[in-house]
Amino acid sequence: MFACLFQSQMLLNQLREITGIQDLQVLQSALNVCLVQQHLSMYDEYSILSVKLNNYACLCILVSFTFSDGMKRKRCEGSGESCSPADWIRQEDCPVGIRNVGNTCWFSAVIQSLFHLPVFRRLVLNYCLSERVLEKCKSHSEKRNIAFMQELRCLFALMVGSNRRFVDPSAAVELLRDAFRTSEAQQDVSEFTHKLLDWLEDAFQLAANGNNPEDKQNNPMVQLFYGTFVAERLHEGKIVSNIEQFGQYPLQVNGFNNLDECLEGAMVEGEIESLHSDQTMSSGQERWFSKLPPVLTFELSRFEFNQSLGRPEKIHKKLEFPQVIYMDRYLHKNVDQTHGRRGDVKRLKDQLTVLQQKLEGYKNYGSGPTKYPLADMLQYVVEFATTKPTNVCVTNCAYRLFSLPCLSPSKYDAGSSDGSGCPQTATQKTPIHKPFTQCRAPMEVPLQPAPHSVTEEELYFVRSCLQRWRAEVENTVNELKASIDKVSQALEGMYSDNSLCQVSYRLHAVLVHEGQASAGHYWAYIYDHANKRWLKYNDVMVTESTWEELVRDSYGGMTNASAYCLMYISDKLPYLIAGTFPLCFSDYASMMLTPAMQGVIFAIAKARQVFDKDGPEAGLIKAFHEEYSRLYELSQEETTPQQDPRLQHVLVYLFQNQAPNRVIERTLLEQFGDRNLSFDDRAVSIMREARSKIRLIKPEDMDMDEYLQWHDDYSMFKTVFAYLLTGLEQYQNGKIREALNYLAHAHQDNSVLLRKGERKGVDQSLIALYRRKCLKELNDNAATLFKSPDANDVAEAVTIMNECIIPCMHLMVRDSVSQEDLDVIELIRSCWCSYLGQDMDDSLQEKLSEFLPRVLDCSAELVVLKEPPKVRKSPHDLCSRLTAVMESIHSTSVITVK
């Protein structure tokens, strides 16, 4: 009993995380509704586990219920983090962070990198165990793994649906910590990470194949993260090979400059030339990837144990890695091709070494400790030989210098100087003035060294030899540089041709450690595939980043921050990043918490007994009848300004417009065939049954063009509603130009729908009313700007007329215009005609004459409205926005809908 109460309390706490509602009575009511719908008991341990583990839709029901009428969140209700909502409310289109609950930044980095891999996120959120498997889970490790998976699913659900800026991972982290407290003393981050992945593998193994734990062929963790490699070695003249499995592939950092060099070092150990030759000597080992996983993870060994110091140390060496890496050269199927190129690489590297050594000899020449470029040395000798000697004795010059009074030892010490090169004594306040010529060397002494004597023949011979040698040296240096560039380019392009650039992997996440081996901080850079940008996940902070920032923090070598784990994903498998669960809560709610999805879940729950007794087909028929009846009753409800039942489900729209039964039945059948219903065995069976019945519908049984036209009409209906609501929201926020554009499009598209049927569109009077309001206010604004002495204001007024007001007037005249619309049009015309009798500049008169005829005559041109931006039009979103906007229209305050 106490265990059940504890688990129910945990579930309530997690629901509070998602909704932000602090009233436990409200949340308890929601949980009770969920249990009733699932025919479960609050005090049954298995029931609570089933709610939390096997039926992900229950979480959706809970969230949906807590946001239903009568249970809406209070606007100023907090979450326990801060009194100011701005400090904890999640920003639109921004992923959530994870709270650091005590040295758990490593957990945040790992979990974020996995969560933002859409294929893995789907696996976790759709994880379920059958009742048969649950009953067989008796061991401590199995129960622990299920508990961990349960907490991870709840954490992922929070990360998808929470309105908060960050979530709390305490429950999942404590399970990991407890395992180390009870069985292992060492609490190393690498060990934590491996333990986490091991538990995930074991948990998925229970779901994949509960009868045979050893058969991991169907384990999604193995399929996603594990590959195999072939290890080959030469033993007594024969090649011995074996196949091994790998998950996170370890790579050494020391001794390598980039990721390809690391991989080459990991693939080849020792000398391998004898592996594929006639020699019978022992040799090193080669590894070749035989199967690469969809998600390829490299573990960079940046920590090593220092034997002399008796403690671990971190390797801060710089290591570069690319955004795209090609793995062809490391595959076993390309062994012959790679071997040939490795031989070429070795030959080119040897050649490059010789060339660089030769160049070094020319650049640093000499036998002493100090070396100089040889070409410069030859030039200096030429300059020395060609410097003309003088007849002045240097010794006599020196004698004269040292005999000058200003340099007499009795006249100065080393303490000061007058700035002319003559030092002063410590007590001397003014310098001793001497003739300037007495304080410097005589002008005839050469500034550069020169030979005492040289004949013309000697000078000619020496200069010609040195200049020729210098030219030879410069030519040789240039040739060496050109050869080095050529060899370097050949090395860079050795694996760049198309035959070895077929298996590409793209960088998905970089896990970074900052600090030393014994302590530090962890964060992650993760690529946002949908928006083509890098994001930095640093505990609760999620910020947009750049590749340059990632390089600075991840390559190492400059600071004590560097990457310790790289996660690449296959470029050839688009399903890896094709996310089913969007990151934005409104989008998530539109898909998982729509009234349509909730209704199907309830219908399946009501058909549980029929399903268990008579099978999937009977269960589908029962659930189909329940949902059909519910939607038909909903279609009979009265439409109010705050609520339109058609927005809740396409079938309500079809019922109200008297669509053919075949269209209604197929539409509902496809609802039951939705893949998002795969949350337990019963739902999966009903989903498959619905899909099989859809496949039985033959072309002669249904006109698909008619079917698609009905759904196109409903899509346009939602678009009209989205344009209308967006226009009203913009109008309330004072953005009149934007509002008019949306309302004009809403009116135009709605006219098309209304011609097909009265209930196919929206009430046109509401659109027309606010279109007139926008036109009048916008025209008043343009008229005021046109009178301004500022030329920019005048230009803005003309733009408003040409792009907004005149096109909208033309459309109004061409439609069946009402008297109210004609009155507004006449008001606009009178406003601008009144300017004709006023004195104005010639430039204003010219501008007025350009657009005034179009104001007066609305039949002479083609009207093209400016296309508005894309709008949100999910039914769930539109329902809540309609309520908020209409409440705002009938009150004095503006209600913002996010």
Side-chain angles (χ1 to χ4, degrees):
M1 174 70 73
F2 291 108
C4 298
L5 291 175
F6 175 74
Q7 290 202 28
S8 65
Q9 184 62 44
M10 289 180 64
L11 185 57
L12 290 173
N13 291 338
Q14 290 156 354
L15 184 59
R16 180 164 52 185
E17 280 282 329
I18 295 179
T19 62
I21 296 176
Q22 303 302 305
D23 191 338
L24 289 179
Q25 292 183 349
V26 172
L27 300 178
Q28 186 68 60
S29 299
L31 181 58
N32 291 338
V33 169
C34 177
L35 292 170
V36 169
Q37 293 295 337
Q38 299 297 314
H39 303 279
L40 302 174
S41 168
M42 173 61 70
Y43 302 105
D44 178 9
E45 181 177 3
Y46 175 76
S47 296
I48 295 294
L49 183 61
S50 177
V51 168
K52 297 187 71 177
L53 184 63
N54 281 347
N55 197 341
Y56 175 57
C58 290
L59 185 60
C60 303
I61 296 171
L62 288 170
V63 177
S64 179
F65 184 81
T66 52
F67 281 110
S68 62
D69 292 339
M71 291 191 178
K72 290 188 172 65
R73 184 189 323 198
K74 297 178 181 178
R75 298 188 186 280
C76 300
E77 190 171 32
S79 68
E81 283 298 323
S82 170
C83 296
S84 174
D87 293 335
W88 60 268
I89 291 180
R90 177 182 185 175
Q91 300 299 312
E92 187 174 1
D93 296 330
C94 183
V96 299
I98 300 179
R99 187 210 302 268
N100 191 326
V101 292
N103 298 323
T104 59
C105 50
W106 67 271
F107 180 85
S108 300
V110 173
I111 289 300
Q112 291 281 23
S113 65
L114 294 173
F115 173 81
H116 289 285
L117 191 61
V119 63
F120 181 80
R121 185 164 69 243
R122 290 196 300 271
L123 286 174
V124 172
L125 291 174
N126 289 324
Y127 180 86
C128 65
L129 292 178
S130 65
E131 298 177 10
R132 176 179 55 83
V133 174
L134 273 174
E135 292 171 354
K136 291 184 177 180
C137 294
K138 305 296 183 182
S139 69
H140 170 74
S141 62
E142 288 177 335
K143 292 180 179 178
R144 177 203 61 202
N145 292 342
I146 291 175
F148 178 76
M149 198 66 202
Q150 161 187 317
E151 296 302 338
L152 187 64
R153 290 182 71 238
C154 291
L155 180 62
F156 272 30
L158 289 172
M159 293 171 72
V160 171
S162 178
N163 281 335
R164 294 182 57 178
R165 186 165 54 87
F166 56 87
V167 297
D168 192 321
S170 297
V173 170
E174 282 306 308
L175 285 172
L176 279 171
R177 283 177 170 167
D178 288 342
F180 279 92
R181 292 191 191 107
T182 57
S183 61
E184 299 183 37
Q186 183 184 8
Q187 296 189 18
D188 178 72
V189 168
S190 179
E191 291 296 323
F192 267 125
T193 305
H194 283 288
K195 181 68 68 178
L196 182 151
L197 296 177
D198 287 343
W199 286 8
L200 289 174
E201 180 184 341
D202 292 342
F204 277 111
Q205 185 62 26
L206 290 172
N209 194 341
N211 291 327
N212 187 2
E214 301 302 323
D215 182 11
K216 297 186 177 182
Q217 182 178 358
N218 296 321
N219 190 315
M221 279 290 292
V222 174
Q223 293 174 343
L224 194 59
F225 294 102
Y226 286 81
T228 57
F229 65 84
V230 178
E232 293 183 343
R233 62 187 178 89
L234 192 66
H235 179 68
E236 296 181 353
K238 296 181 180 180
I239 297 177
V240 180
S241 65
N242 62 293
I243 298 178
E244 299 180 28
Q245 190 181 59
F246 71 92
Q248 291 180 293
Y249 200 86
L251 295 175
Q252 294 296 324
V253 172
N254 262 345
F256 306 107
N257 297 313
N258 56 59
L259 186 59
D260 274 318
E261 290 184 7
C262 290
L263 281 165
E264 283 286 345
M267 295 291 102
V268 183
E269 295 180 1
E271 296 296 328
I272 64 166
E273 284 78 12
S274 60
L275 237 175
H276 295 275
S277 68
D278 296 332
Q279 300 181 31
T280 58
M281 57 181 291
S282 295
S283 180
Q285 179 174 266
E286 286 187 345
R287 293 187 181 92
W288 301 91
F289 292 117
S290 54
K291 178 184 177 184
L292 289 171
V295 181
L296 183 57
T297 306
F298 297 118
E299 188 178 276
L300 304 181
S301 299
R302 285 196 172 271
F303 303 98
E304 63 180 15
F305 191 81
N306 189 314
Q307 296 290 346
S308 60
L309 297 178
R311 65 168 183 258
E313 289 186 336
K314 184 180 178 183
I315 303 169
H316 294 292
K317 182 184 181 299
K318 180 180 180 181
L319 183 78
E320 299 179 356
F321 50 85
Q323 295 194 62
V324 176
I325 186 171
Y326 296 94
M327 298 298 296
D328 306 71
R329 59 199 274 196
Y330 310 109
L331 297 180
H332 191 256
K333 66 179 182 179
N334 296 327
V335 58
D336 294 333
Q337 192 175 3
T338 303
H339 262 299
R341 301 203 185 199
R342 279 181 180 167
D344 294 338
V345 167
K346 186 178 186 307
R347 177 180 53 81
L348 289 172
K349 284 187 174 180
D350 291 342
Q351 183 179 347
L352 185 63
T353 300
V354 173
L355 292 171
Q356 289 173 337
Q357 289 175 349
K358 288 181 178 180
L359 180 62
E360 186 67 17
Y362 284 99
K363 294 172 64 177
N364 295 283
Y365 185 83
S367 58
T370 305
K371 302 180 185 299
Y372 302 94
L374 179 55
D376 293 346
M377 293 177 67
L378 294 172
Q379 178 62 30
Y380 297 153
V381 176
V382 171
E383 293 174 359
F384 171 77
T386 56
T387 302
K388 293 183 178 181
T390 65
N391 295 324
V392 180
C393 178
V394 178
T395 305
N396 291 338
C397 292
Y399 174 80
R400 288 176 59 193
L401 285 171
F402 281 103
S403 66
L404 291 176
C406 70
L407 293 178
S408 174
S410 62
K411 299 295 184 180
Y412 73 97
D413 63 17
S416 61
S417 172
D418 68 353
S420 64
C422 300
Q424 301 175 346
T425 64
T427 59
Q428 193 173 355
K429 302 300 182 180
T430 58
I432 299 175
H433 296 282
K434 296 291 182 180
F436 179 73
T437 56
Q438 294 182 5
C439 294
R440 62 176 181 173
M443 293 300 293
E444 62 268 18
V445 176
L447 298 178
Q448 297 292 339
H452 286 196
S453 64
V454 59
T455 66
E456 288 296 328
E457 291 80 10
E458 289 174 334
L459 182 60
Y460 174 79
F461 177 77
V462 171
R463 182 164 53 185
S464 62
C465 289
L466 291 175
Q467 288 179 343
R468 175 167 51 84
W469 293 341
R470 181 173 180 269
E472 291 175 358
V473 169
E474 289 180 340
N475 289 336
T476 303
V477 168
N478 290 333
E479 290 174 358
L480 287 171
K481 288 181 177 179
S483 298
I484 289 173
D485 290 341
K486 184 177 180 180
V487 173
S488 298
Q489 291 176 6
L491 282 171
E492 292 176 0
M494 186 59 66
Y495 298 100
S496 299
D497 60 277
N498 289 335
S499 63
L500 291 179
C501 291
Q502 299 298 313
V503 184
S504 58
Y505 276 74
R506 188 169 299 276
L507 188 61
H508 165 70
V510 179
L511 279 62
V512 180
H513 174 266
E514 181 181 37
Q516 303 302 323
S518 57
H521 181 59
Y522 296 85
W523 68 84
Y525 288 100
I526 303 173
Y527 190 66
D528 179 0
H529 301 275
N531 298 304
K532 309 297 182 185
R533 59 179 179 173
W534 284 98
L535 296 176
K536 181 179 181 180
Y537 294 81
N538 191 351
D539 288 337
V540 299
M541 298 299 297
V542 181
T543 55
E544 189 166 350
S545 185
T546 62
W547 174 250
E548 290 72 23
E549 181 184 358
L550 185 155
V551 167
R552 186 184 67 242
D553 287 347
S554 305
Y555 275 8
M558 294 183 291
T559 65
N560 60 353
S562 55
Y564 72 94
C565 183
L566 307 175
M567 185 179 292
Y568 285 85
I569 60 175
S570 174
D571 252 350
K572 306 296 183 182
L573 303 174
Y575 75 88
L576 296 174
I577 57 175
T580 300
F581 299 91
L583 297 181
C584 178
F585 179 76
S586 62
D587 292 338
Y588 166 79
S590 72
M591 181 180 62
M592 290 303 298
L593 303 180
T594 59
M597 184 61 65
Q598 180 181 336
V600 170
I601 293 171
F602 283 154
I604 293 176
K606 292 179 180 179
R608 176 176 182 172
Q609 294 181 352
V610 174
F611 176 94
D612 293 341
K613 180 181 178 182
D614 300 321
E617 184 177 11
L620 172 63
I621 294 173
K622 173 64 176 177
F624 186 96
H625 176 75
E626 291 286 345
E627 183 65 351
Y628 187 97
S629 301
R630 183 186 75 85
L631 293 172
Y632 181 79
E633 292 177 2
L634 183 61
S635 69
Q636 304 304 305
E637 291 183 4
E638 182 181 358
T639 300
T640 65
Q642 289 81 17
Q643 182 180 2
D644 191 327
R646 292 174 296 175
L647 290 176
Q648 298 189 35
H649 202 288
V650 60
L651 254 69
V652 176
Y653 183 86
L654 298 179
F655 279 133
Q656 289 196 1
N657 286 283
Q658 300 178 349
N661 287 334
R662 57 183 177 274
V663 174
I664 294 175
E665 291 171 0
R666 182 185 179 110
T667 300
L668 185 55
L669 201 58
E670 288 187 341
Q671 295 280 339
F672 281 93
D674 194 306
R675 62 180 179 179
N676 290 312
L677 292 175
S678 55
F679 52 81
D680 65 7
D681 291 345
R682 184 181 302 106
V684 170
S685 299
I686 289 179
M687 176 190 69
R688 290 173 178 171
E689 189 68 30
R691 289 184 174 184
S692 65
K693 290 190 178 298
I694 292 174
R695 288 193 295 269
L696 293 175
I697 300 176
K698 299 178 181 179
E700 57 266 27
D701 297 332
M702 171 167 288
D703 185 352
M704 286 304 297
D705 290 337
E706 179 188 37
Y707 176 84
L708 294 175
Q709 185 59 56
W710 277 99
H711 284 268
D712 287 343
D713 289 345
Y714 185 65
S715 179
M716 181 178 283
F717 167 77
K718 291 188 296 181
T719 300
V720 168
F721 241 115
Y723 284 156
L724 169 61
L725 296 177
T726 306
L728 294 177
E729 290 163 354
Q730 298 281 23
Y731 177 81
Q732 289 183 311
N733 291 323
K735 299 180 179 179
I736 309 302
R737 291 177 65 174
E738 293 83 353
L740 179 60
N741 190 32
Y742 281 110
L743 292 170
H745 276 280
H747 197 283
Q748 188 178 30
D749 293 346
N750 196 49
S751 299
V752 176
L753 286 176
L754 291 178
R755 286 195 288 268
K756 297 181 179 182
E758 182 180 355
R759 296 298 299 162
K760 282 202 168 186
V762 182
D763 182 9
Q764 196 81 313
S765 62
L766 181 64
I767 305 175
L769 171 64
Y770 279 90
R771 185 178 62 172
R772 290 193 297 270
K773 287 178 177 289
C774 289
L775 267 177
K776 186 177 183 306
E777 290 187 28
L778 203 56
N779 185 72
D780 292 343
N781 184 31
T784 303
L785 291 172
F786 194 78
K787 298 176 184 178
S788 172
D790 190 339
N792 292 330
D793 290 343
V794 174
E796 178 69 6
V798 174
T799 300
I800 292 174
M801 294 301 299
N802 288 329
E803 295 183 1
C804 302
I805 295 178
I806 294 176
C808 189
M809 289 175 58
H810 287 202
L811 286 177
M812 292 170 66
V813 170
R814 294 181 186 184
D815 292 337
S816 53
V817 63
S818 65
Q819 185 60 47
E820 292 85 355
D821 289 340
L822 289 175
D823 291 342
V824 172
I825 292 174
E826 188 59 31
L827 185 66
I828 294 173
R829 289 171 173 170
S830 299
C831 170
W832 292 103
C833 286
S834 66
Y835 283 92
L836 295 175
Q838 302 178 13
D839 293 332
M840 64 179 65
D841 295 337
D842 292 340
S843 60
L844 285 181
Q845 186 70 41
E846 182 179 356
K847 289 181 172 60
L848 180 62
S849 63
E850 287 177 358
F851 68 80
L852 184 57
R854 298 170 58 223
V855 173
L856 300 175
D857 183 8
C858 297
S859 61
E861 67 176 62
L862 178 67
V863 181
V864 178
L865 286 174
K866 182 180 179 182
E867 192 68 20
K870 291 184 178 180
V871 289
R872 298 173 292 166
K873 60 176 183 178
S874 65
H876 183 77
D877 182 46
L878 293 176
C879 287
S880 60
R881 290 172 66 195
L882 174 63
T883 302
V885 168
M886 298 311 295
E887 287 178 359
S888 179
I889 287 176
H890 295 93
S891 65
T892 57
S893 61
V894 176
I895 297 177
T896 302
V897 181
K898 295 186 178 180

